[in-house]
């Protein structure tokens, strides 16, 4: 994607770029946003994802400044995931919003079944709420065969990040997500993060996990830039454009296709 290298100089540049993008985002939010009516339905979830991306990135930056390393991986993973999902959502429009809502319905149904199976209080109340929502959805016009096919396709992509990336011809970035996932779950990577095997075969415990260069901060800056590039055009006046252009120049991205386009 770029010639950025995992070193201190690039990390410092990425940190400054991320801070600038976060400051610009705060400025836009404080002054208020105006969105054309035609974009309002898509903008709602996009804004929420963007806000989550910004605040999560800010939290990760604060933690890395305090010396945290592997502990930040789940945050960086979430930012990475959402940056691509924001582009996916805007690119696919209302159909993607419908898929997002449907995925939410599926997850609530799954949770309700678990509550019922395990005897949790409140399961009956949740079931009644879900049944009412299902009745309301059944009154909506039925999708055509092609609309339903697209609906199922988008639901699948939302649940399967690799397939989302693959259909935008950027599956080559999935190893980043996979690596961050290995540092976010109960894996051998986290089981060995705080120990070091010495030359004599003994294990040395560590108070903190080793720092893996500045890759986390660099990835955060790129993800923030991607998200801002999608969100800003949705808002009247494209208010983040000056900060986006400056970030592109600072990172040497002027001639790079920052946002992937759908190929299948």
């Amino acid at each position: 994607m770029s010639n950025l290298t995992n070193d201190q100089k690039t990390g410092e540049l990425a940190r400054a770029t991320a801070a600038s993008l976060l400051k610009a985002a705060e400025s836009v939010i404080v002054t208020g946003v105006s969105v054309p009516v035609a974009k309002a339905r898509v903008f709602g979830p996009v804004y929420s994802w963007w806000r989550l991306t910004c605040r999560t990135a800010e939290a990760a930056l604060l933690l890395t400044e305090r010396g945290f390393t592997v502990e930040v991986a789940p945050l960086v993973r979430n930012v990475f995931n959402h940056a691509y999902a924001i582009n996916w959502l805007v690119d696919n429009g209302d159909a993607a919003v419908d898929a997002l809502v449907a995925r939410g319905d599926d997850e609530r149904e799954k949770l309700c079944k678990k509550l019922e199976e395990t005897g949790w209080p409140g399961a009956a109340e949740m079931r009644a709420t879900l049944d009412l929502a299902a009745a309301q959805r059944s009154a909506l016009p039925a999708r055509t065969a092609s609309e339903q096919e697209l609906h199922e396709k988008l639901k699948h992509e939302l649940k399967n990040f690799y397939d989302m990336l693959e259909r935008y011809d950027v599956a080559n970035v999935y190893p980043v997500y996979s690596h961050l996932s290995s540092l976010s779950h109960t894996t051998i990577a986290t089981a060995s993060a705080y120990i070091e095997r010495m030359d004599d075969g003994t294990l040395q415990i560590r108070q903190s996990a080793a720092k893996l260069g500045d890759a986390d901060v660099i990835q955060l800056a790129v993800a923030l830039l991607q998200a801002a590039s999608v969100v800003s055009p949705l808002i009247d006046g494209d208010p983040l454009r000056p900060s986006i252009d400056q970030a592109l120049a600072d990172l040497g991205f002027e001639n790079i296709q920052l946002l992937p386009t759908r190929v299948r």
Side-chain angles (χ1 to χ4, degrees):
M1 183 176 181
S2 76
N3 293 321
L4 294 180
T5 54
N6 182 19
D7 55 38
Q8 183 177 355
K9 181 179 179 181
T10 306
E12 290 173 352
L13 172 62
R15 186 177 291 277
T17 300
S20 178
L21 289 168
L22 290 170
K23 183 178 180 181
E26 286 293 330
S27 177
V28 167
I29 294 168
V30 167
T31 56
V33 299
S34 178
V35 180
V37 174
K39 300 178 180 178
R41 185 166 185 257
V42 170
F43 184 75
V46 166
Y47 171 79
S48 209
W49 277 357
W50 176 53
R51 190 63 178 146
L52 176 66
T53 298
C54 288
R55 288 182 62 81
T56 303
E58 184 176 3
L61 290 172
L62 289 171
L63 287 171
T64 56
E65 287 175 357
R66 295 288 302 274
F68 290 92
T69 57
V70 67
E71 303 86 1
V72 181
L75 299 179
V76 180
R77 176 180 181 264
N78 210 26
V79 170
F80 183 86
N81 191 172
H82 277 81
Y84 282 94
I86 285 171
N87 180 63
W88 170 88
L89 185 55
V90 173
D91 187 44
N92 292 285
D94 284 347
V97 176
D98 289 340
L100 177 61
V101 172
R103 282 287 305 137
D105 292 339
D106 291 347
E107 290 302 318
R108 282 188 289 274
E109 175 63 28
K110 182 178 178 181
L111 173 60
C112 188
K113 285 182 178 179
K114 290 299 181 185
L115 293 176
E116 291 169 339
E117 291 171 3
T118 53
W120 272 70
E125 182 179 352
M126 185 175 186
R127 172 58 63 194
T129 300
L130 292 180
D131 288 345
L132 177 60
Q136 293 172 339
R137 288 194 302 274
S138 66
L140 297 174
R143 296 186 183 91
T144 64
S146 61
E147 288 172 341
Q148 185 62 31
E149 181 180 1
L150 175 61
H151 181 69
E152 295 300 330
K153 182 178 182 179
L154 294 176
K155 280 180 64 179
H156 174 82
E157 292 170 5
L158 188 58
K159 185 178 180 181
N160 297 274
F161 188 48
Y162 177 85
D163 289 345
M164 180 188 292
L165 295 175
E166 193 267 339
R167 287 167 184 173
Y168 278 79
D169 201 26
V170 287
N172 60 313
V173 303
Y174 186 78
V176 176
Y177 178 82
S178 182
H179 174 63
L180 292 169
S181 294
S182 74
L183 296 174
S184 305
H185 299 293
T186 49
T187 64
I188 188 61
T190 53
S192 57
Y194 298 89
I195 56 176
E196 182 177 357
R197 186 171 295 279
M198 310 305 289
D199 292 339
D200 62 3
T202 60
L203 293 180
Q204 176 68 49
I205 62 171
R206 300 173 56 93
Q207 186 175 2
S208 59
K211 183 178 180 183
L212 303 176
D214 294 271
D216 287 349
V217 174
I218 295 169
Q219 186 56 60
L220 284 174
V222 174
L224 287 171
L225 181 53
Q226 288 176 308
S229 297
V230 176
V231 172
S232 189
L234 297 178
I235 305 172
D236 286 343
D238 198 3
L240 293 167
R241 182 54 48 191
S243 296
I244 292 170
D245 290 343
Q246 185 62 57
L248 290 170
D250 290 344
L251 297 176
F253 283 180
E254 297 100 324
N255 300 315
I256 289 179
Q257 169 110 6
L258 187 67
L259 299 174
T261 56
R262 194 176 190 96
V263 295
R264 56 180 66 84

